């Protein structure tokens, strides 16, 4: 089966290549069946390496061209002048102005964000879980792109497959943390099934953070990772099903 990455019209521009990769087209089997690119998973390392090779090959490159951080749910964005061979730097976003560098992030419910300033020739990929989104990974990524010549007023961004509001139940104390940061954040929550539960709209929150950062145009693909096991890995779904581990999806962009 060939790779079947999701793309979005906002990023379908001359000089850019991007994709939010699904499970389709991978070498992993069993629990991880499909295109598991998570080196931190308990999958067969050879299968993971092959999956990452296939993603890089989709961009016309090799695994050494990938710039994907050792993700730590932070607000740290790194500039990549080449692929990160060997040890990966800690952080949650990679940006580059170098053609051929494949900026990538891994997710399994968190929101992957692919960004570009096509005029300046700068791209970026960010991993935004609730913590990174709240702490400022979007602003850090935009700032890192500015360091290499991009301007927010020219930037476009797409939020890829992630857990949607109807699938993301949290405690009332979770909402309190967001409202303490900004009272306006209350609009990203609706009541859950019980009085002490809420449903959090992660993609809407990330889109708002992109707007705050001055990004000119942004959209979400509309895909819920938890409810589509045929196409997506999901941390929340694995937990609810009592599964011991889960695969990771790769989202990537390059010049």
């Amino acid at each position: 089966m060939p790779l079947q990455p999701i793309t979005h019209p906002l990023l379908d521009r001359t000089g850019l290549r991007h994709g939010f990769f699904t499970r389709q087209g991978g070498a992993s089997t069993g629990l991880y069946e499909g295109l598991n690119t998570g080196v931190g998973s308990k999958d067969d390392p050879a299968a993971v390496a092959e999956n990452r090779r296939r993603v890089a090959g989709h961009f016309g490159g090799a695994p050494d061209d990938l710039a994907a951080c050792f993700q730590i749910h932070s607000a740290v964005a790194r500039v990549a002048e080449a692929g990160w061979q060997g040890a990966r730097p800690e952080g949650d976003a990679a940006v580059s102005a170098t053609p051929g560098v494949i900026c990538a992030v891994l997710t399994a419910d968190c929101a992957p964000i692919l960004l570009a300033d096509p005029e300046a020739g700068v791209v970026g990929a960010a991993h935004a879980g609730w913590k990174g989104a709240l702490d400022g990974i979007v602003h850090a990524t935009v700032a890192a792109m500015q360091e290499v010549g991009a301007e927010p007023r020219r930037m476009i961004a797409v939020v890829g497959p992630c857990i949607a509001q109807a699938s993301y139940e949290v405690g009332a104390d979770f909402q309190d943390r967001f409202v303490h940061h900004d009272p306006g954040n209350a609009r990203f929550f609706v009541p859950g099934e019980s009085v002490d539960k809420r449903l959090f709209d992660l993609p809407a929150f990330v889109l708002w953070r992109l707007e705050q950062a001055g990004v000119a145009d942004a959209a979400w693909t509309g895909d819920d990772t938890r409810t589509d096991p045929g196409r997506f890995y999901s941390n929340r779904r694995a937990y609810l099903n009592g599964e011991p581990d889960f695969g990771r999806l790769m989202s990537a962009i390059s010049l």
Side-chain angles (χ1 to χ4, degrees):
M1 181 183 295
L3 302 185
Q4 296 180 21
I6 294 167
T7 59
H8 193 278
L10 263 185
L11 291 171
D12 283 338
R13 308 289 182 96
T14 301
L16 298 180
R17 294 196 71 177
H18 79 285
F20 298 96
F21 290 84
T22 65
R23 297 180 71 155
Q24 274 69 47
S28 295
T29 60
L31 183 68
Y32 307 98
E33 183 177 357
L35 193 73
N36 173 32
T37 52
V39 292
S41 71
K42 297 174 184 176
D43 193 5
D44 177 4
V48 174
E50 172 60 19
N51 292 335
R52 293 169 74 96
R53 186 196 66 77
R54 292 181 188 184
V55 170
H58 181 83
F59 288 85
D64 283 348
D65 297 317
L66 290 169
C69 292
F70 182 90
Q71 295 172 186
I72 54 174
H73 294 276
S74 69
V76 176
R78 305 285 187 179
V79 175
E81 296 179 353
W84 292 322
Q85 303 174 28
R88 296 167 292 149
E90 290 187 347
D92 286 272
V95 309
S96 187
T98 305
V101 174
I102 306 167
C103 295
V105 290
L106 303 183
T107 58
D109 286 339
C110 292
I113 314 167
L114 301 181
L115 310 92
D117 177 346
E119 183 178 329
V122 180
V123 294
H127 159 252
W130 71 263
K131 188 176 187 300
L134 185 63
D135 289 348
I137 188 60
V138 170
H139 289 71
T141 306
V142 169
M145 292 176 69
Q146 287 180 278
E147 288 178 14
V148 290
E151 289 292 340
R153 61 184 174 82
R154 296 192 302 254
M155 287 184 194
I156 47 180
V158 177
V159 180
C162 62
I163 192 165
Q165 185 170 34
S167 295
Y168 199 178
E169 187 174 68
V170 298
D173 57 332
F174 186 97
Q175 177 178 343
D176 293 341
R177 181 185 288 112
F178 277 72
V179 172
H180 177 75
H181 186 271
D182 184 334
N185 286 339
R187 69 185 184 276
F188 299 109
F189 295 84
V190 297
E193 290 190 2
S194 60
V195 67
D196 62 335
K197 296 295 184 182
R198 306 287 187 271
L199 296 172
F200 175 51
D201 196 340
L202 175 64
F205 182 72
V206 172
L207 287 171
W208 180 64
R209 295 296 266 172
L210 287 163
E211 181 182 345
Q212 280 188 312
V215 172
D217 199 2
W220 174 40
T221 63
D223 300 287
D224 184 353
T225 46
R226 179 186 159 189
T227 60
D228 193 344
R231 290 198 299 162
F232 306 121
Y233 300 111
S234 166
N235 182 0
R236 178 66 64 102
R237 186 178 65 244
Y239 171 78
L240 292 173
N241 290 344
E243 295 167 354
D245 197 15
F246 50 92
R248 278 71 161 178
L249 304 161
M250 182 172 281
S251 302
I253 189 167
S254 71
L255 296 167

